[in-house]
């Protein structure tokens, strides 16, 4: 008998149905694919040359593991099975899709070997539940997409593993019976990934385990809005671009699976800000393909775009589809192919707005062009160091021009080092988590956190239109007791040059201005001009104010007064362009960046900045 379970009310901006009913669940395959299964995709391969080219990339990746053994259980860092779960997940998706198209039993048999081997693991490491969720996801896809090909014995093996290693530990978490179930109350990516994995696993086996599946789906649909509320008001993601990709991908997978299996999203897509969240990865990605990688995000190029395809189609956003097309060309996954939707033929990326801000996240990006890979790009933020994965990076910026990232964010350090996530203390001992490890200001440095951890720096002035977009952040809360007022503005001029201007009020301030770079730096005799060279390109940086100081070049290491952590990154390939003001009172620091060494504009106070 099919189950129907009542859902408690929730308040993330939507009104889901009162019941999750499994009575109308679709036949297999029911997860993430349309009712015609894979037939429509096969037909598209006959007529779409670019889709066929991308499919060839996926097929080649499916051939690779045919002669390789299944991946073994391994927790190399003593905490995470995650790399194993992800490898199994990628193999199952790839092998399953290619089998459906080619009908070559080599791919089916290899998928079975992988699933059988992982089914025999002692567990899927529920103490780090992301590992369990991703492995459950892998088994759900393998069970569902290949359901008609499995023998009864094979189905029993896969289904039993989903129950034993996935859904049962999940049920313990929902009931508060497991010490590792803290994620059920999370408002960040853990909520989305863990609940998304549980939804996929439950829907895959629902006809055989009605009550268990209904309970899991009910709990997951009830809890997902806690994380989705964070998209309000404008779709931003406080954990940064790469965690947007992780959390939102699983959020989309959960909704897509509910719709494909049950025909309803239970109101989840109505969460405030979710309908515009696709702007976040699009505007956060620079023309070089690297993201504005604030918080614990890595600076690697943008990843696969299946979720953005889904979101772009659902919310009729051609810009998101265009972006997904650009960044899934080289290494597409199975869902990138199945969900691929091209923007309308008349879509003009060059005509789209070039700057955007995200309230709550307090982040801002701007660029000179969408179609010129050499154009200038700037990311700038305020924010809140106490957010999940956040760092003391209020006021930091990244800058790309001529296809080069000049001002870099160093990204995260080793998550496994002691104290990395100890927000009460040791997290702020890591150079990469401190303000001194970012492109921002440090005032009166000592052994304590160099920005107030509980502070919230807001963007107080924003201009996103015209040829001179800008944002101004009030950084005063980050420097309480060290300065009376601190404000930073960042402006893009003529789509090419960048002005960074700081205004400080206070007494006896020891002020340090930093910009991290991998470029070679040469200083002029008076120290007012720095010439940066990287990859055959040149960027001119000029210190416009104050005139009584100069640029310095420093190593990217902690102050002598700062705490240190054994084993943290040495940052040997990075230098710091630096400015220091000693015993400063009220002052202004103005720095001009130009790829072609143009003349700086006439300076104004930040209060006078207006659209030009």
């Amino acid at each position: 008998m099919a189950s129907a379970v009542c859902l408690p009310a929730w308040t993330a901006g939507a009104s889901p149905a009162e019941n999750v009913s499994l009575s109308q669940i679709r036949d297999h395959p029911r997860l993430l694919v349309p009712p015609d299964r894979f037939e429509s995709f096969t037909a598209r391969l006959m007529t779409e040359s670019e889709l066929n080219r991308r499919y060839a990339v996926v097929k080649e990746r499916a051939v690779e593991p045919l002669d390789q053994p299944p991946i073994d259980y391994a927790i190399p860092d003593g905490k995470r099975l995650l790399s194993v779960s992800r490898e199994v997940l990628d193999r199952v998706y790839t092998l399953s899709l290619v089998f459906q198209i080619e009908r070559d039993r080599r791919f089916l048999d290899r998928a079975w070997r992988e699933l059988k081997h992982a089914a025999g693991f002692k567990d899927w490491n529920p103490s780090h539940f992301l590992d369990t969720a991703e492995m459950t996801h892998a088994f759900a896809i393998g069970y569902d997409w290949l359901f008609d090909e499995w023998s009864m014995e094979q189905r029993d093996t896969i289904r039993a593993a989903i129950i034993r290693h996935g859904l049962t530990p999940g049920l313990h978490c929902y009931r508060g019976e497991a010490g590792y179930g803290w994620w059920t109350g999370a408002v960040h990516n853990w909520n989305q990934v863990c609940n998304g994995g549980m939804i996929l696993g439950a829907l895959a086996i629902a006809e055989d385990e009605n009550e268990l599946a209904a309970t899991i789906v009910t709990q997951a649909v009830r809890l997902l809005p806690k994380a989705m509320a964070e998209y309000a008001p404008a779709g931003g993601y406080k954990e940064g671009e790469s965690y947007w990709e992780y959390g939102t991908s699983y959020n989309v997978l959960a909704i897509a699976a509910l719709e494909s299996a049950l025909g309803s999203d239970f109101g989840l897509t109505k969460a405030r800000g979710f309908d515009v969240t696709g702007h976040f990865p699009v505007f956060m990605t620079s023309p070089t393909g690297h993201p504005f990688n604030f918080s614990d995000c890595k600076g690697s190029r943008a990843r696969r775009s299946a979720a953005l395809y889904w979101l772009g189609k659902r919310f009729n956003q051609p810009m998101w589809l265009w972006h997904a097309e650009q960044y899934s060309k080289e290494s597409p996954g199975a869902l990138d192919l199945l969900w691929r939707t091209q923007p309308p033929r008349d879509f003009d990326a060059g005509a789209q707005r070039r700057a955007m801000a995200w309230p709550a996240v307090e982040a801002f990006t701007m660029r000179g062009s969408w179609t010129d890979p050499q154009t200038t790009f700037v990311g700038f933020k305020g924010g809140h160091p106490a957010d999940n994965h956040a760092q003391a990076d209020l006021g930091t910026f990244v800058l790309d021009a001529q296809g080069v990232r000049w001002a870099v964010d160093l990204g995260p350090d080793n998550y496994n080092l002691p104290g990395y996530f100890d927000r009460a203390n040791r997290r702020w001992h890591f150079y990469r988590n401190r303000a001194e490890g970012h492109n921002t200001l440090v005032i009166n440095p000592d052994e304590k956190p160099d920005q107030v951890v509980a502070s919230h720096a807001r963007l107080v002035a924003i201009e996103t239109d015209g040829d001179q977009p800008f944002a101004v952040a009030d950084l005063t809360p980050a420097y309480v007791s060290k300065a009376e007022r601190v404000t930073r503005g960042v402006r893009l001029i003529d789509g090419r040059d960048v002005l960074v201007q700081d205004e400080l009020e206070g007494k006896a301030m020891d002020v340090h201005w930093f910009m991290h770079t991998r470029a070679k730096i040469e200083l002029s005799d008076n120290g007012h001009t720095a010439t940066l060279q990287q990859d055959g390109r040149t960027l001119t940086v000029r210190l416009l104010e104050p005139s009584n100081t100069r640029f310095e070049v420093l190593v990217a290491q902690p102050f002598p007064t700062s705490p240190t952590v054994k084993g943290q990154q040495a940052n040997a390939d990075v230098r710091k362009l630096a400015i220091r003001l000693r015993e400063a009172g009220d002052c202004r620091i103005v720095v001009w960046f130009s790829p072609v060494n143009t003349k700086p504009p006439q300076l104004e106070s930040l209060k006078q900045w207006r659209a030009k």
Side-chain angles (χ1 to χ4, degrees):
M1 180 177 179
S3 297
V5 179
C6 293
L7 280 172
W10 57 290
T11 59
S15 300
E18 294 184 359
N19 297 291
V20 173
S21 174
L22 304 185
S23 61
Q24 300 299 317
I25 197 161
R26 258 182 51 198
D27 292 335
H28 296 283
R30 62 172 68 115
L31 298 180
L32 314 178
V33 293
D36 63 359
R37 305 185 179 189
F38 296 92
E39 287 85 347
S40 60
F41 177 74
T42 304
R44 289 174 60 197
L45 287 175
M46 301 293 185
T47 60
E48 299 180 29
S49 59
E50 176 60 18
L51 182 63
N52 205 312
R53 185 198 67 78
R54 298 185 189 203
Y55 170 70
V57 175
V58 172
K59 181 180 176 181
E60 183 177 351
R61 199 162 68 246
V63 171
E64 292 175 2
L66 290 180
D67 297 323
Q68 298 174 0
I71 188 167
D72 288 327
Y73 189 100
I75 304 182
D77 62 1
K79 184 175 182 179
R80 297 170 180 84
L81 185 71
L82 195 54
S83 61
V84 174
S85 296
R86 288 175 175 172
E87 183 64 26
V88 173
L89 179 63
D90 186 66
R91 287 181 177 183
V92 169
Y93 261 116
T94 305
L95 291 163
S96 299
L97 176 64
V98 173
F99 170 76
Q100 289 288 357
I101 305 308
E102 305 295 326
R103 308 307 295 179
D104 183 337
R105 289 195 63 87
R106 292 182 304 157
F107 301 108
L108 176 68
D109 293 342
R110 183 61 186 83
W112 166 243
R113 288 175 55 209
E114 199 71 54
L115 292 166
K116 181 182 179 182
H117 189 68
F121 288 175
K122 63 178 182 178
D123 58 35
W124 291 343
N125 199 34
S127 63
H128 190 258
F129 207 86
L130 296 177
D131 313 5
T132 300
E134 295 218 39
M135 191 70 85
T136 303
H137 175 191
F139 270 64
I141 294 301
Y143 185 79
D144 178 66
W145 283 14
L146 301 173
F147 184 85
D148 291 339
E149 311 303 325
W150 300 134
S151 67
M152 290 301 296
E153 182 180 359
Q154 288 173 320
R155 291 178 190 172
D156 290 344
T157 297
I158 301 171
R159 184 172 63 250
I162 291 173
I163 296 168
R164 179 173 65 253
H165 293 324
L167 301 186
T168 298
L171 193 60
H172 291 323
C173 293
Y174 292 133
R175 291 174 173 171
E177 299 170 352
Y180 44 74
W182 61 268
W183 54 267
T184 60
V187 298
H188 48 69
N189 74 87
W190 275 71
N191 176 318
Q192 297 165 298
V193 175
C194 295
N195 282 307
M198 291 299 98
I199 285 174
L200 287 158
L203 292 175
I205 65 167
E207 68 271 32
D208 292 297
E209 295 289 338
N210 287 331
E211 185 173 351
L212 173 61
T215 300
I216 292 288
V217 172
T218 294
Q219 292 296 324
V221 172
R222 179 178 64 85
L223 291 170
L224 266 173
K226 290 185 178 182
M228 297 185 73
E230 295 293 298
Y231 290 115
Y237 205 80
K238 295 176 182 177
E239 296 179 276
E241 186 273 343
S242 62
Y243 281 101
W244 179 95
E245 194 273 343
Y246 190 34
T248 305
S249 288
Y250 268 86
N251 210 134
V252 165
L253 286 166
I255 295 171
L258 289 167
E259 291 185 331
S260 63
L262 301 175
S264 174
D265 69 359
F266 299 96
L268 291 172
T269 54
K270 296 179 181 178
R272 186 183 176 204
F274 190 67
D275 60 337
V276 292
T277 193
H279 288 315
F280 190 75
V282 173
F283 280 81
M284 280 286 157
T285 304
S286 84
T288 65
H290 294 88
F292 174 21
N293 57 312
F294 65 84
S295 296
D296 276 335
C297 294
K298 296 180 180 180
S300 56
R301 293 178 181 270
R303 295 187 278 178
R304 294 175 186 169
S305 304
L308 206 53
Y309 277 128
W310 188 93
L311 289 165
K313 183 177 181 180
R314 168 57 60 91
F315 296 114
N316 190 26
Q317 291 281 357
M319 187 68 177
W320 306 356
L321 300 175
W322 175 83
H323 181 89
E325 279 286 272
Q326 309 309 305
Y327 291 100
S328 63
K329 286 180 180 178
E330 302 306 320
S331 183
L335 282 181
D336 292 310
L337 301 184
L338 289 170
W339 287 354
R340 181 175 181 252
T341 304
Q342 298 179 72
R345 291 183 179 274
D346 61 352
F347 173 74
D348 181 6
Q352 306 306 303
R353 61 187 300 184
R354 299 191 296 274
M356 185 168 286
W358 290 272
V361 181
E362 309 299 343
F364 178 80
T365 67
M366 51 191 170
R367 71 192 68 216
S369 169
W370 283 105
T371 56
D372 179 5
Q374 304 294 310
T375 196
T376 299
F377 168 89
V378 181
F380 171 53
K381 73 179 291 291
H384 189 357
D387 287 333
N388 193 51
H389 282 294
Q391 300 171 345
D393 62 357
L394 311 190
T396 198
F397 66 95
V398 298
L399 189 158
D400 293 14
Q402 306 174 89
V404 171
R405 173 147 295 183
W406 300 100
V408 304
D409 188 298
L410 298 175
D413 212 303
N414 185 346
Y415 285 9
N416 295 318
L417 288 174
Y420 190 79
F421 290 108
D422 175 13
R423 294 188 171 277
N425 185 17
R426 290 181 293 171
R427 181 170 177 82
W428 315 112
H429 294 181
F430 288 80
Y431 178 80
R432 291 189 172 201
N433 292 338
R434 293 172 65 85
E436 63 180 311
H438 291 90
N439 305 326
T440 189
L441 302 171
V442 175
I443 302 174
N444 300 338
D446 55 25
E447 76 283 358
K448 299 176 182 178
D450 45 8
Q451 289 184 339
V452 177
V453 176
S455 63
H456 187 178
R458 291 179 167 83
L459 300 182
V460 294
I462 299 167
E463 176 57 57
T464 58
D465 298 326
D467 293 330
Q468 296 195 20
F470 68 83
V472 177
D474 181 3
L475 303 179
T476 307
Y479 301 103
V480 170
S481 81
K482 295 185 176 184
E484 295 175 8
R485 186 169 182 81
V486 182
T487 313
R488 166 168 281 190
V490 180
R491 183 170 215 145
L492 178 64
I493 298 178
D494 296 330
R496 178 187 59 210
D497 305 316
V498 178
L499 192 70
V500 176
Q501 182 166 316
D502 298 303
E503 296 178 0
L504 299 91
E505 298 175 14
K507 297 179 180 179
M509 296 180 292
D510 186 8
V511 181
H512 298 260
W513 183 104
F514 292 139
M515 188 195 88
H516 293 71
T517 184
R518 291 187 170 87
K520 177 183 177 182
I521 306 173
E522 293 184 2
L523 301 183
S524 63
D525 291 342
N526 65 4
H528 289 176
T529 300
T531 302
L532 277 58
Q533 295 181 329
Q534 186 176 349
D535 298 340
R537 306 290 186 175
T538 300
L539 179 73
T540 302
V541 187
R542 298 165 79 176
L543 174 56
L544 304 183
E545 289 188 9
S547 60
N548 61 347
T549 189
R550 58 181 290 141
F551 282 127
E552 300 176 79
V553 180
L554 306 177
V555 294
Q557 295 179 359
F559 285 114
T561 57
S562 297
T564 59
V565 177
K566 184 178 180 180
Q568 72 176 326
Q569 294 287 336
N571 311 311
D573 63 335
V574 178
R575 287 151 290 280
K576 288 201 293 191
L577 185 63
I579 303 165
R580 182 176 182 181
L581 307 181
R582 294 175 171 85
E583 296 294 313
D586 297 355
C587 58
R588 184 164 76 174
I589 303 173
V590 186
V591 180
W592 172 250
F593 302 83
S594 178
V596 292
N597 196 17
T598 54
K599 182 180 179 180
Q602 182 176 350
L603 301 183
E604 301 174 321
S605 71
L606 293 178
K607 291 182 180 179
Q608 294 175 305
W609 279 23
R610 296 288 186 273
K612 301 297 182 181

Short mmCIF file of all heavy atoms in Angstrom, two decimals, residues 2-19:
data_model
loop_
_atom_site.label_atom_id
_atom_site.label_comp_id
_atom_site.label_asym_id
_atom_site.label_seq_id
_atom_site.Cartn_x
_atom_site.Cartn_y
_atom_site.Cartn_z
N ALA A 2 0.61 2.20 -0.88
CA ALA A 2 1.41 3.41 -0.95
C ALA A 2 1.16 4.29 0.25
O ALA A 2 0.09 4.28 0.85
CB ALA A 2 1.09 4.18 -2.24
N SER A 3 2.16 5.10 0.59
CA SER A 3 2.09 5.92 1.79
C SER A 3 1.82 7.37 1.45
O SER A 3 2.21 7.88 0.41
CB SER A 3 3.42 5.83 2.56
OG SER A 3 3.65 4.51 2.99
N ALA A 4 1.17 8.07 2.37
CA ALA A 4 1.00 9.51 2.31
C ALA A 4 1.32 10.05 3.68
O ALA A 4 0.76 9.62 4.68
CB ALA A 4 -0.43 9.88 1.91
N VAL A 5 2.26 11.01 3.74
CA VAL A 5 2.74 11.50 5.02
C VAL A 5 2.52 13.00 5.10
O VAL A 5 2.80 13.73 4.16
CB VAL A 5 4.25 11.17 5.18
CG1 VAL A 5 4.77 11.70 6.50
CG2 VAL A 5 4.46 9.67 5.07
N CYS A 6 1.98 13.46 6.22
CA CYS A 6 1.72 14.89 6.41
C CYS A 6 3.02 15.65 6.62
O CYS A 6 3.93 15.18 7.29
CB CYS A 6 0.80 15.11 7.60
SG CYS A 6 -0.88 14.49 7.34
N LEU A 7 3.06 16.84 6.05
CA LEU A 7 4.23 17.72 6.20
C LEU A 7 3.90 18.86 7.13
O LEU A 7 2.85 19.50 7.00
CB LEU A 7 4.63 18.31 4.86
CG LEU A 7 5.44 17.44 3.91
CD1 LEU A 7 5.55 18.15 2.58
CD2 LEU A 7 6.79 17.17 4.49
N PRO A 8 4.78 19.20 8.07
CA PRO A 8 4.59 20.41 8.87
C PRO A 8 4.69 21.65 7.99
O PRO A 8 5.29 21.62 6.91
CB PRO A 8 5.76 20.34 9.87
CG PRO A 8 6.22 18.93 9.86
CD PRO A 8 5.95 18.43 8.48
N ALA A 9 4.15 22.75 8.47
CA ALA A 9 4.24 24.00 7.73
C ALA A 9 5.68 24.52 7.73
O ALA A 9 6.46 24.21 8.62
CB ALA A 9 3.33 25.04 8.37
N TRP A 10 6.02 25.31 6.74
CA TRP A 10 7.33 25.94 6.70
C TRP A 10 7.18 27.33 6.14
O TRP A 10 6.15 27.70 5.61
CB TRP A 10 8.33 25.10 5.91
CG TRP A 10 7.94 24.80 4.50
CD1 TRP A 10 6.95 23.97 4.07
CD2 TRP A 10 8.54 25.33 3.32
NE1 TRP A 10 6.91 23.93 2.71
CE2 TRP A 10 7.87 24.75 2.22
CE3 TRP A 10 9.59 26.20 3.08
CZ2 TRP A 10 8.21 25.05 0.91
CZ3 TRP A 10 9.93 26.48 1.78
CH2 TRP A 10 9.24 25.90 0.71
N THR A 11 8.24 28.15 6.27
CA THR A 11 8.09 29.58 6.04
C THR A 11 9.17 30.18 5.15
O THR A 11 9.58 31.30 5.33
CB THR A 11 8.09 30.33 7.38
OG1 THR A 11 9.33 30.06 8.05
CG2 THR A 11 6.93 29.91 8.23
N ALA A 12 9.66 29.45 4.19
CA ALA A 12 10.72 29.98 3.33
C ALA A 12 10.17 30.72 2.12
O ALA A 12 10.87 30.96 1.16
CB ALA A 12 11.64 28.85 2.87
N GLY A 13 8.90 31.07 2.12
CA GLY A 13 8.35 31.83 1.01
C GLY A 13 7.50 31.00 0.09
O GLY A 13 7.13 31.45 -0.98
N ALA A 14 7.19 29.77 0.47
CA ALA A 14 6.36 28.92 -0.36
C ALA A 14 5.37 28.19 0.52
O ALA A 14 5.49 28.14 1.73
CB ALA A 14 7.23 27.93 -1.13
N SER A 15 4.37 27.58 -0.10
CA SER A 15 3.37 26.81 0.64
C SER A 15 3.24 25.44 0.02
O SER A 15 2.45 25.22 -0.90
CB SER A 15 2.01 27.54 0.61
OG SER A 15 2.11 28.82 1.18
N PRO A 16 4.05 24.48 0.46
CA PRO A 16 4.02 23.15 -0.14
C PRO A 16 2.73 22.42 0.15
O PRO A 16 1.98 22.76 1.07
CB PRO A 16 5.20 22.44 0.52
CG PRO A 16 5.35 23.12 1.84
CD PRO A 16 4.99 24.55 1.60
N ALA A 17 2.46 21.40 -0.62
CA ALA A 17 1.29 20.58 -0.38
C ALA A 17 1.37 19.97 1.01
O ALA A 17 2.44 19.78 1.57
CB ALA A 17 1.21 19.47 -1.43
N GLU A 18 0.23 19.66 1.60
CA GLU A 18 0.22 19.15 2.95
C GLU A 18 0.69 17.71 3.03
O GLU A 18 1.10 17.25 4.09
CB GLU A 18 -1.20 19.26 3.53
CG GLU A 18 -1.64 20.71 3.72
CD GLU A 18 -3.01 20.78 4.37
OE1 GLU A 18 -3.59 19.71 4.64
OE2 GLU A 18 -3.47 21.90 4.62
N ASN A 19 0.63 16.97 1.94
CA ASN A 19 0.99 15.56 1.97
C ASN A 19 1.99 15.20 0.89
O ASN A 19 1.91 15.70 -0.23
CB ASN A 19 -0.26 14.68 1.77
CG ASN A 19 -1.26 14.88 2.89
OD1 ASN A 19 -1.01 14.47 4.02
ND2 ASN A 19 -2.38 15.50 2.58
#
